[in-house]
Amino acid sequence: MTYLVASGLQKAYGRTAVLSDVAFEVAQGEFICLLGPSGCGKSTLLRLLAGLIEPDDGRLMLAGEDLTRRPAWHRDIGLVFQNYALFPHLSVARNVAFGLEMRGLPKAEAKSRVAEALELVDLADYRDRLPSELSGGQQQRVAIARAIAVRPRLLLLDEPLSNLDALLRGTVRADLRDLHRRTGLTTIMVTHDQAEALSLADRVAVMSGGRIVQMGSPETIYASPDTTFVASFVGNPPANLLRLPPDGIPGWTPPPPLAAAIANAGSRPLVLALWPETLQVVERGHAHSIPATLRAVEFLGAERRAHLRLTDGQTLLAHPGEQGEGDVGVVLRGNGPLPTIFDAETGARLIQVAT
Amino acid sequence: MKIGTFVRATGIGLILLFAVAPILVLILAAFDEGRFFRFPPRGLSMRWFIAAFESAEYRASVTRSVVVASLATVISVGLGGLAALGLVRGRPPGQAYLEALILAPLALPLVVWAIAFLQVLSYSGLGGTLFGLILAHVIITLPIAMRVILATFTRIDPDLEAAARSLGATPVRAFLRTTLPLARGGIAGAAALSFLVSFNDVVVSTFVAGAGWVTFPVRLYAQLRGEGIDPITLAIGAMIVGVIIVGAIATELWPRRRGR
Amino acid sequence: MRSPREAGGGTSLSPTLSLLFIAPAAILVLAAFGLPFLLLLALSLASPVEGSLVPDMSNPTLAAYSRILGDGFYLRTLATTLAMSLATAAGCLALALPLAHWLARRAGRARRVLTAIVLLPLACGALLPTLGLVHLLGPLGVVNGTLRGLGLIASPLPLLGTQLGIVIGLIQAFLPFAVLPILAVLDRTPPVIEEAAITLGATPARLWVRIILPLAWPGLLAGGLLVFCSALTAFVTPQIVGQGKVATFAMLAYQQALQVLDWPFASALAVTMLAALALAAVVTFSLARLRP
């Protein structure tokens, strides 16, 4: 059952197009992440949903109502700002009550809704403090309480974790997931951090250059990227993207299914995506191994990561073996995302190859 | 929403017009060919501008204003800059009080002070002297100069000097080669502001300027009170406004130069 | 008051050396500004001596003050001046709040140019705008000329020589004093705060009453006080625009100091103005708690 439908959204500032033909659908209760690098238009899209800016073209439907030209103050959409945007002259409780006062809720009901919202973000004891007397994390929870107290039809979160220190980020991530489960609010969150998007969202919309380039479950976005951009942006580390010269990577005979797929793709320039966790460092000369030089093995606690250089200068990350620095080979382990072939010019995915 | 923006822009435009209307009318009136300005003007001419350059009396009073303002500016920027340096880079006892003291003339009513200062000057035999006039102007320009320079110094990252010292510069050289070049714009701004305030001052000058040192504003004020408006003064006023506007535009368009 | 600045990486001066740097400016201000201020009260208690500028300081007397308080003329003038100053402050704030809010939401060159336009009259001093104002408000001036040209009035509106004309002139003269403090306060409040209010359901009118006005409140008070004080002690604009037909308190002080040459009385008038300003400051500070 679709709840929010955006179609053909366009927005340009002067001659710079910020959003081009953005269309997507969201089901009620879904948690969506808009993921992309800065300048990709994700924040513009969020502000457009909130009604803070008007689209040049396109339509926005929420629960069957056309919201496109409706002013922000009549939309019933909660927005949690990146810098929280708490009213500095109002106490925590007055901040949370603001939206309820604007809706003319009876005092008693407003009071219980404020208490309920503050309870939900675990700030009941701070109701009379001023925002300036709270820590960053607490200010953010006030901002969330303020947005959800009005029981919005849509909850928008703008980079909610970017202003928190690394330690707090993990906790708040869990809190957000918990909040979503308890309130059931349809939520759209903007982030540039792919790990946040993968861990929180039911579906992720990857944005680039003012467009949604792929929208799907975190698993799909990670393991079946539609474009080289998605492949290079999602995952930590993301997939290795290898340029495939017409005569192949020097010294490498790919496994037969992959070799056939590459041959089938024709003579155009190709890019091959290989995920680090699917690659294993072995001794030089191993069957179907890519000849490479092991330059360093990075120790990351739970895992180790091998940094390699191919004979043509391209670099590669892989799972290390016992080999020391020097000449080695790299083979496919046959686990995880499938090797994926892209058209180098358009960046579009051509085929995923089971080996 | 679009209509709201338009209404708001119109309102703001009207307020801006209200704010600058006197200046615009002054310029228009200066070009009126008649002896008495009327609106709409009967004809426009440059005759009062030409007359302004030919009038020895007005030339002399403008020159006096320039001399007084220049002296006041040099003294204010010198003493104010020194004081700002002492406040930024030292921790003298009573720092906050010293700063408040030097800035006090900005906060207290100048007319009240001028009435008292007039008497003190007179009793000490300095009434009507150039010295007294300059002293009065320095009192109003010094706090302005110090405040601007203080703000400039405060904005400059002191780590730049630390970096220079770590590269082998002596503390004095580090200051001269990093902070001072970066502060040049602020110091120039302090000088321009001091000059402007002194050059335009009528409130204090009219109390302490003797017969021998009638600056242009004092002359203009006397004329407006008594004789009625001489169109030559309109032309001079328009030229002063012109210089201020050209100066402001030049500052805005001047390429931001890097300190050497 | 500013807290002591961090010495940080900057070259620091010893306390003695820094005092030496500050001393010339501090001593100058203390001697030429502070001292006359302190002497003012004493000077106002002296009695004038016939045929001499130097009054008799040996027998302090409150004669000057009893003259101010006993004569209806001075009290009436004080009341008129206070009322006109209040009107000026109110007018300035009414124009400055939307103007400052507009400026605070601009950036870059547009903001610098617009701010410069607002500050231009200030940069031209007290006299030049007044000179233009006379031609704006005069019987043959721009306002009357336009209204007559449009056939809206038969005879010119009396603007020069009236309290209304003076208040218009003072608003024009001191508008920047109101804009700058409000601008400073609004610059510290990010625009997203207003967007937050809008997404929570605040209509534009409620946004102004519930968010912008309270946020600008300290700036409104500071600007209002500054304009009020400036208007109260102004004598140039009231003299020229009022054409001598309207007396203000500062004009009386000016006349006593420079024309009548009764310096003790001029001093007493100055002290009275100072007292009125102090009262205004106290009232303003008490208003700070009434932030909406």
Side-chain angles (χ1 to χ4, degrees):
Chain A
M1 183 61 220
T2 55
Y3 181 61
L4 174 72
V5 183
S7 47
L9 292 176
Q10 311 263 3
K11 183 72 193 175
Y13 290 114
R15 287 195 180 163
T16 323
V18 191
L19 292 178
S20 318
D21 196 23
V22 169
F24 59 92
E25 296 186 356
V26 178
Q28 186 146 25
E30 254 192 313
F31 196 128
I32 302 289
C33 274
L34 300 177
L35 172 67
S38 56
C40 71
K42 58 190 191 298
S43 288
T44 307
L45 179 55
L46 200 73
R47 296 164 61 79
L48 204 143
L49 295 174
L52 294 172
I53 49 179
E54 270 192 46
D56 299 333
D57 199 5
R59 222 150 86 104
L60 203 60
M61 304 282 294
L62 181 65
E65 281 178 61
D66 190 344
L67 282 192
T68 317
R69 305 285 155 196
R70 184 176 294 191
W73 55 88
H74 284 148
R75 282 198 184 194
D76 263 340
I77 290 180
L79 173 54
V80 177
F81 289 82
Q82 187 175 4
N83 298 311
Y84 320 136
L86 297 180
F87 307 128
H89 59 299
L90 300 180
S91 68
V92 166
R94 298 277 315 275
N95 260 282
V96 177
F98 189 88
L100 305 172
E101 288 174 38
M102 292 300 120
R103 284 161 179 76
L105 233 67
K107 277 248 160 61
E109 193 186 344
K111 212 175 160 191
S112 76
R113 291 261 289 265
V114 168
E116 186 187 317
L118 284 176
E119 200 69 52
L120 206 57
V121 296
D122 208 14
L123 276 179
D125 296 339
Y126 293 83
R127 43 174 301 122
D128 295 322
R129 301 271 189 102
L130 282 177
S132 56
E133 297 166 331
L134 301 180
S135 71
Q138 291 168 332
Q139 289 187 24
Q140 183 186 49
R141 282 187 276 155
V142 176
I144 291 172
R146 185 176 68 175
I148 61 176
V150 300
R151 298 190 181 147
R153 297 192 289 176
L154 195 60
L155 180 64
L156 307 177
L157 306 167
D158 190 3
E159 303 257 5
L161 304 175
S162 66
N163 280 344
L164 303 173
D165 59 56
L167 220 65
L168 206 51
R169 235 173 260 185
T171 327
V172 175
R173 220 194 269 179
D175 287 347
L176 283 177
R177 204 181 294 117
D178 190 46
L179 184 81
H180 177 247
R181 209 191 54 235
R182 282 206 273 169
T183 59
L185 285 170
T186 311
T187 305
I188 298 181
M189 167 173 144
V190 155
T191 177
H192 63 267
D193 182 334
Q194 51 83 33
E196 277 172 26
L198 295 184
S199 75
L200 279 171
D202 296 323
R203 283 191 301 147
V204 178
V206 183
M207 293 187 68
S208 169
R211 295 168 189 279
I212 294 180
V213 288
Q214 187 174 4
M215 190 162 180
S217 69
E219 292 78 8
T220 313
I221 293 287
Y222 179 69
S224 304
D226 281 348
T227 69
T228 47
F229 171 79
V230 177
S232 69
F233 195 73
V234 178
N236 181 29
N240 297 297
L241 293 176
L242 295 178
R243 277 176 287 107
L244 283 184
D247 45 354
I249 289 175
W252 183 40
T253 316
L258 191 53
I262 294 172
N264 278 342
S267 58
R268 55 185 147 184
L270 300 174
V271 168
L272 175 64
L274 299 172
W275 277 259
E277 68 271 28
T278 66
L279 297 176
Q280 175 71 49
V281 175
V282 292
E283 70 280 9
R284 177 63 69 92
H286 192 282
H288 300 302
S289 72
I290 310 169
T293 314
L294 181 61
R295 303 179 62 216
V297 175
E298 202 180 355
F299 176 67
L300 295 164
E303 54 165 333
R304 295 185 306 149
R305 201 177 283 167
H307 290 255
L308 302 126
R309 170 169 284 168
L310 306 190
T311 49
D312 62 357
Q314 300 195 71
T315 57
L316 199 66
L317 293 178
H319 193 79
E322 300 307 314
Q323 288 73 17
E325 289 174 24
D327 289 345
V328 294
V330 178
V331 293
L332 285 159
R333 293 210 285 186
N335 63 332
L338 302 175
T340 310
I341 299 168
F342 296 91
D343 183 320
E345 262 160 33
T346 63
R349 184 181 64 199
L350 298 174
I351 188 170
Q352 289 201 294
V353 188
T355 47
Chain B
M1 209 128 151
K2 296 274 143 63
I3 293 167
T5 311
F6 174 76
V7 169
R8 225 161 0 156
T10 312
I12 297 296
L14 287 176
I15 296 175
L16 283 175
L17 182 65
F18 174 81
V20 290
I23 300 291
L24 297 180
V25 173
L26 170 69
I27 293 168
L28 177 66
F31 284 99
D32 188 87
E33 65 176 8
R35 230 195 125 66
F36 302 101
F37 171 76
R38 59 181 302 167
F39 188 81
R42 285 149 297 189
L44 300 177
S45 95
M46 294 286 289
R47 62 184 282 212
W48 304 117
F49 289 87
I50 296 161
F53 281 103
E54 286 167 351
S55 159
E57 192 215 336
Y58 286 120
R59 226 172 31 221
S61 69
V62 172
T63 309
R64 275 192 289 271
S65 284
V66 171
V67 169
V68 171
S70 305
L71 287 170
T73 300
V74 170
I75 297 171
S76 307
V77 171
L79 297 186
L82 215 54
L85 200 57
L87 287 169
V88 172
R89 289 301 157 78
R91 288 170 177 276
Q95 189 174 29
Y97 295 103
L98 287 169
E99 186 179 333
L101 169 69
I102 301 174
L103 294 179
L106 288 179
L108 291 163
L110 289 176
V111 186
V112 173
W113 167 69
I115 288 171
F117 190 59
L118 161 74
Q119 300 174 54
V120 171
L121 274 185
S122 176
Y123 302 150
S124 50
L126 293 168
T129 60
L130 176 62
F131 178 80
L133 183 63
I134 301 276
L135 194 57
H137 277 232
V138 169
I139 289 302
I140 51 177
T141 55
L142 172 62
I144 295 172
M146 191 194 75
R147 192 159 79 166
V148 174
I149 299 175
L150 195 60
T152 308
F153 280 153
T154 313
R155 267 199 302 272
I156 296 171
D157 184 356
D159 280 347
L160 292 174
E161 267 181 55
R165 285 204 309 278
S166 77
L167 293 167
T170 62
V172 175
R173 267 173 75 92
F175 173 79
L176 292 177
R177 295 292 292 276
T178 60
T179 303
L180 199 59
L182 290 168
R184 264 192 311 213
I187 294 172
L193 214 55
S194 300
F195 186 91
L196 209 56
V197 167
S198 167
F199 183 87
N200 282 325
D201 174 73
V202 59
V203 172
V204 170
S205 306
T206 196
F207 279 91
V208 295
W213 277 91
V214 177
T215 58
F216 178 69
V218 174
R219 174 79 193 80
L220 181 55
Y221 184 51
Q223 183 205 341
L224 285 173
R225 269 200 333 268
E227 312 143 32
I229 296 166
D230 180 345
I232 293 179
T233 56
L234 292 175
I236 297 175
M239 285 191 278
I240 293 171
V241 172
V243 170
I244 292 171
I245 293 174
V246 169
I249 293 174
T251 316
E252 170 67 23
L253 297 182
W254 202 261
R256 304 240 181 271
R257 277 194 293 170
R258 307 264 161 260
R260 269 172 299 169
Chain C
M1 300 284 143
R2 214 177 295 238
S3 62
R5 290 169 187 83
E6 291 301 317
T11 307
S12 53
L13 302 170
S14 72
T16 324
L17 201 55
S18 67
L19 271 184
L20 228 55
F21 278 23
I22 301 167
I27 291 172
L28 191 69
V29 173
L30 198 61
F33 188 79
L35 195 65
F37 242 109
L38 296 177
L39 284 177
L40 192 64
L41 195 64
L43 293 167
S44 72
L45 299 176
S47 34
V49 174
E50 200 70 41
S52 164
L53 274 179
V54 183
D56 178 10
M57 308 273 275
S58 54
N59 296 309
T61 160
L62 287 169
Y65 291 99
S66 61
R67 194 169 144 202
I68 296 171
L69 296 174
D71 190 332
F73 172 70
Y74 292 105
L75 288 180
R76 269 199 310 280
T77 308
L78 184 60
T80 316
T81 310
L82 290 173
M84 290 199 313
S85 305
L86 213 55
T88 305
C92 275
L93 293 182
L95 297 182
L97 181 59
L99 188 55
H101 182 260
W102 178 270
L103 285 175
R105 300 296 172 248
R106 302 305 96 185
R109 175 163 289 177
R111 154 118 184 208
R112 288 197 297 278
V113 170
L114 288 167
T115 313
I117 290 175
V118 174
L119 297 184
L120 180 63
L122 199 60
C124 294
L127 266 179
L128 297 182
T130 311
L131 194 56
L133 203 60
V134 173
H135 295 301
L136 185 66
L137 302 179
L140 297 173
V142 174
V143 170
N144 278 314
T146 307
L147 291 177
R148 208 158 30 188
L150 294 170
L152 293 173
I153 52 168
S155 58
L157 298 173
L159 292 169
L160 288 187
T162 64
Q163 292 185 12
L164 175 66
I166 293 176
V167 170
I168 292 175
L170 290 173
I171 291 176
Q172 266 164 341
F174 300 131
L175 184 60
F177 289 167
V179 172
L180 291 179
I182 301 174
L183 188 57
V185 172
L186 290 180
D187 270 339
R188 283 199 299 267
T189 63
V192 285
I193 285 181
E194 288 167 32
E195 295 182 339
I198 292 171
T199 60
L200 287 166
T203 57
R206 285 179 141 179
L207 175 68
W208 275 91
V209 175
R210 296 291 306 273
I211 301 296
I212 299 175
L213 201 62
L215 288 178
W217 192 245
L220 285 166
L221 288 185
L225 182 62
L226 203 55
V227 171
F228 182 83
C229 292
S230 306
L232 188 66
T233 59
F235 64 92
V236 174
T237 305
Q239 172 73 48
I240 307 297
V241 179
Q243 300 194 305
K245 290 175 195 157
V246 181
T248 70
F249 213 67
M251 272 164 61
L252 297 182
Y254 173 89
Q255 284 161 8
Q256 291 296 328
L258 293 178
Q259 289 163 353
V260 184
L261 299 180
D262 184 345
W263 286 355
F265 190 50
S267 306
L269 290 170
V271 170
T272 311
M273 276 195 285
L274 212 51
L277 296 182
L279 194 66
V282 170
V283 170
T284 308
F285 285 125
S286 65
L287 283 175
R289 265 178 284 136
L290 289 182
R291 184 180 193 159

